[in-house]
Amino acid sequence: MTRAVIAGSDAENLGDALTAEGVDVVRARGTANRTALEEAGILEADVLVVTEAGLATSIPVAKDLNPDVRVVVYTHESLPEFAKGQAGHILDPGLLDPGFVAEEVAGAA
């Protein structure tokens, strides 16, 4: 089973769409700092989903903890330059609906 950690408020409900695709979803609390990511299970996760560009700092932290984690950024906001190189996919909810993204994430595992 694919495991995903979501960092952010998930206003587009990608977490629900992932769950509907059979993905085990856990939400990192607060600012998705190192402790929150560890508590959410980033060490065992297949995917980190970032739904707020303001939480971009969670990307290098997650990659440090789990170098194999795939990173999907799903937000209307622009991602800071420092995080773009570690984000596998940067997707705009205005262009791709959550159901489509969830299918792709679940199918890539």
Side-chain angles (χ1 to χ4, degrees):
M1 172 181 278
T2 301
R3 297 193 58 172
V5 172
I6 295 183
S9 62
D10 192 21
E12 304 295 330
N13 298 311
L14 180 55
D16 292 342
L18 287 166
T19 299
E21 290 294 325
V23 176
D24 179 22
V25 175
V26 179
R27 297 175 189 276
R29 34 175 203 86
T31 59
N33 62 16
R34 185 179 196 89
T35 301
L37 288 169
E38 288 175 332
E39 289 173 354
I42 198 66
L43 296 172
E44 299 84 26
D46 301 295
V47 183
L48 170 67
V49 178
V50 180
T51 63
E52 294 177 35
L55 298 180
T57 55
S58 66
I59 297 170
V61 174
K63 293 296 276 183
D64 181 54
L65 292 167
N66 180 351
D68 296 326
V69 75
R70 290 179 293 131
V71 178
V72 175
V73 178
Y74 191 63
T75 179
H76 294 282
E77 307 159 319
S78 294
L79 194 64
E81 288 297 321
F82 76 86
K84 286 183 179 178
Q86 292 181 309
H89 300 285
I90 303 171
L91 308 171
D92 184 340
L95 301 175
L96 297 169
D97 69 59
F100 176 81
V101 174
E103 286 177 25
E104 294 300 311
V105 169

